[in-house]
């Protein structure tokens, strides 16, 4: 993958807009072939910020052009260059992704060789320039321009529950990326889906294993002074439409600890999971995306607690408590069950502690808690 020095033209400016004193001007003998910038004038002199920056000559005679070359010391940094051709000054952003040189080209008419150069202070590529050089219209880059980038959105339609799995694929349009081809495969065989259709968004509902494969190339954004022109890249994304939309999941918790009031139980081990009940291991939330009647049964094994009202847990459905189940004997498991009808927006379900104080889980049992969720009946979206 080719990488190197990437340069963007920001704008033409007046000499008064250059944020550095005239004593920092590189001109005359300081623009000679082989000049080491950190051995010249002003703030460049013996300044480690500018280590590894040299001025070289490309070509000869009337076609000779200057180059700014950057060594390993500057990799991962960017610098502003203020360059004057005749009486016109241009402002450039030079990004150093790998050691290399930038041939300075006059973006307008006039001489090929600049009359003077000012350099700003190098800063990390993904950070903003220092005050006086930054501009909100030119934010820091978000990616390496020598590596093509493209986004494929694979979205689930979650505004309402669905009877069968469905996933929408949308390819975002990026003017700086040329897409040579886009092919969708289902179970290893290509489908007759076109690039314009994918850019508009295609909804897939037929069960199967899918792959979206795109060949593309980064072109530059029109302000590039040296477009990177990397080779074509292939990007693939995979997704699956559930072959058996019969939701069921069983999980357990094997982690000893405490549960405080309002805190959800976390189930760290999956025993049964057909992939159609979604579970967030950070929040302990189950999402029931399919239209159905669900039965949920759970248990928690406490050791002791500081509560005055026993051991109490309840299902939290979209933030609202379902039935609370309790136990008074400390060494007995708390067990509960609920039935949930899903025919609208997919609900979020958590098992939370609703005791009035901390509950300590069992130290000795292998399983501290468990839950099972499975479909027991059919539903259709309420809007149908």
């Amino acid at each position: 993958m080719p990488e190197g020095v990437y340069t963007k033209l920001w704008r033409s400016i007046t000499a008064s807009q250059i944020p550095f004193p005239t004593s920092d001007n590189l001109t005359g003998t300081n623009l000679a072939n082989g000049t080491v910038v950190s051995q010249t004038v002003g703030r460049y002199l013996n300044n480690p910020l500018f280590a590894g920056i040299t001025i070289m000559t490309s070509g000869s005679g009337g076609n000779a052009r200057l180059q700014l070359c950057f060594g390993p010391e500057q990799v991962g940094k960017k610098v502003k260059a203020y360059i004057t051709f005749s009486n016109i000054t241009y402002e450039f952003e030079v990004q150093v992704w790998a050691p290399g040189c930038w041939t300075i080209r006059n973006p307008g008419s006039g001489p090929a060789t600049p009359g003077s150069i000012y350099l700003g202070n190098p800063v990390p590529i993904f950070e903003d320039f220092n005050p006086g050089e930054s501009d909100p219209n030119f934010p820091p880059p978000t990616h390496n321009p020598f590596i093509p980038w493209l986004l494929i959105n694979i979205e689930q339609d979650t505004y309402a529950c669905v009877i069968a799995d469905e996933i929408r694929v949308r390819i975002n349009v990026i003017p700086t990326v040329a897409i040579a081809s886009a092919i969708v495969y289902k179970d290893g065989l290509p489908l007759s889906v076109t690039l314009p259709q994918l850019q508009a968004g295609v909804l897939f509902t037929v069960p199967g294993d899918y792959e979206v494969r795109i060949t593309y190339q980064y072109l530059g954004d029109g302000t590039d002074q040296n477009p990177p022109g990397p080779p074509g890249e292939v990007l693939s994304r995979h997704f699956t439409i559930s072959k058996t939309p019969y939701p069921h999941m069983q999980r357990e918790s094997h982690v000893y600890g405490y549960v405080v009031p309002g805190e959800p139980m976390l189930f760290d081990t999956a025993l049964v999971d057909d992939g159609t009940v979604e579970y967030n291991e950070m929040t302990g939330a189950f999402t029931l995306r399919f239209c159905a009647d669900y039965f949920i049964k759970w248990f928690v094994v406490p050791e002791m607690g500081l509560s005055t009202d026993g051991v109490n847990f309840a299902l939290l459905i979209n933030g609202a408590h379902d039935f609370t189940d309790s136990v008074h004997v400390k060494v007995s498991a708390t067990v509960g069950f609920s039935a949930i009808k899903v025919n609208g927006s997919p609900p979020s379900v958590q098992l939370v502690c609703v005791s009035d104080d901390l509950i300590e889980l069992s130290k000795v049992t292998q399983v501290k808690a468990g839950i099972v969720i499975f479909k027991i009946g059919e539903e259709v979206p309420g809007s149908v």
Side-chain angles (χ1 to χ4, degrees):
M1 178 69 66
E3 295 183 354
V5 180
Y6 175 64
T7 310
K8 296 172 64 70
L9 169 63
W10 276 28
R11 58 194 172 186
S12 62
I13 61 175
T14 63
S16 62
Q17 291 177 281
I18 299 174
F20 300 104
T22 55
S23 59
D24 293 333
N25 192 353
L26 296 172
T27 186
T29 57
N30 291 320
L31 295 182
N33 187 39
T35 297
V36 179
V37 170
S38 59
Q39 296 177 6
T40 56
V41 298
R43 72 184 191 289
Y44 315 121
L45 185 60
N46 298 322
N47 189 337
L49 276 177
F50 300 91
I53 303 179
T54 56
I55 295 173
M56 306 295 290
T57 300
S58 171
S60 60
N63 294 320
R65 290 188 173 90
L66 293 183
Q67 290 184 322
L68 280 177
C69 295
F70 300 85
E73 302 93 332
Q74 295 296 324
V75 173
K77 300 179 183 179
K78 63 182 179 181
V79 63
K80 292 280 285 295
Y82 307 88
I83 300 177
T84 300
F85 295 91
S86 186
N87 60 347
I88 301 177
T89 300
Y90 296 95
E91 185 178 38
F92 299 90
E93 174 181 330
V94 186
Q95 302 170 7
V96 186
W97 297 94
C101 299
W102 167 49
T103 299
I104 302 172
R105 299 183 183 277
N106 186 346
S109 59
T113 303
S116 66
I117 299 175
Y118 292 83
L119 293 178
N121 292 327
V123 298
I125 283 180
F126 293 113
E127 296 181 11
D128 205 353
F129 285 104
N130 294 330
E133 293 192 272
S134 63
D135 188 315
N137 296 315
F138 300 93
T142 58
H143 69 287
N144 185 338
F146 291 90
I147 300 176
W149 65 288
L150 191 68
L151 176 65
I152 299 178
N153 291 327
I154 297 181
E155 308 164 349
Q156 292 180 329
D157 291 338
T158 57
Y159 61 91
C161 66
V162 293
I163 299 175
D165 212 349
E166 54 185 41
I167 292 180
R168 185 179 300 277
V169 176
R170 182 181 293 109
I171 300 174
N172 66 320
V173 178
I174 303 176
T176 57
V177 171
I179 300 178
S181 65
I183 305 173
V184 178
Y185 296 88
K186 175 182 173 294
D187 298 327
L189 299 176
L191 300 178
S192 58
V193 179
T194 66
L195 174 59
Q197 288 175 323
L198 290 170
Q199 289 174 332
V202 177
L203 185 66
F204 295 92
T205 60
V206 179
D209 295 316
Y210 290 81
E211 177 190 5
V212 183
R213 189 182 305 169
I214 295 176
T215 302
Y216 66 103
Q217 184 180 31
Y218 181 75
L219 299 177
D221 65 3
T223 67
D224 311 327
Q225 288 297 294
N226 54 335
E233 293 289 309
V234 176
L235 179 150
S236 294
R237 289 288 300 276
H238 298 264
F239 62 95
T240 298
I241 303 294
S242 299
K243 297 178 174 62
T244 308
Y246 191 88
H248 59 288
M249 173 181 281
Q250 184 174 357
R251 298 186 72 94
E252 290 181 345
S253 175
H254 294 181
V255 180
Y256 163 73
Y258 300 85
V259 186
V260 300
E263 182 181 9
M265 279 296 309
L266 301 180
F267 300 93
D268 61 290
T269 302
L271 301 181
V272 177
D273 183 2
D274 70 349
T276 58
V277 175
E278 298 167 10
Y279 181 67
N280 187 318
E281 294 189 354
M282 300 296 294
T283 65
F286 299 88
T287 301
L288 309 180
R289 195 166 58 82
F290 287 97
C291 306
D293 297 321
Y294 293 85
F295 183 77
I296 303 176
K297 188 172 183 177
W298 55 266
F299 68 89
V300 178
V301 185
E303 174 89 5
M304 62 166 289
L306 302 179
S307 67
T308 62
D309 61 352
V311 179
N312 304 282
F313 283 82
L315 288 178
L316 198 67
I317 302 173
N318 288 337
H321 284 174
D322 193 16
F323 296 111
T324 298
D325 291 277
S326 306
V327 66
H328 178 69
V329 181
K330 294 180 181 178
V331 296
S332 175
T334 305
V335 179
F337 54 87
S338 292
I340 300 176
K341 185 185 297 292
V342 177
N343 60 5
S345 298
S348 174
V349 178
Q350 293 171 297
L351 180 64
V352 298
C353 174
V354 292
S355 293
D356 63 3
D357 210 329
L358 176 148
I359 301 297
E360 180 182 358
L361 301 179
S362 173
K363 300 185 185 71
V364 297
T365 59
Q366 294 184 20
V367 179
K368 318 303 178 183
I371 190 168
V372 60
I373 302 173
F374 57 93
K375 176 182 174 181
I376 59 174
E378 302 291 343
E379 289 289 337
V380 295
S383 60
V384 175

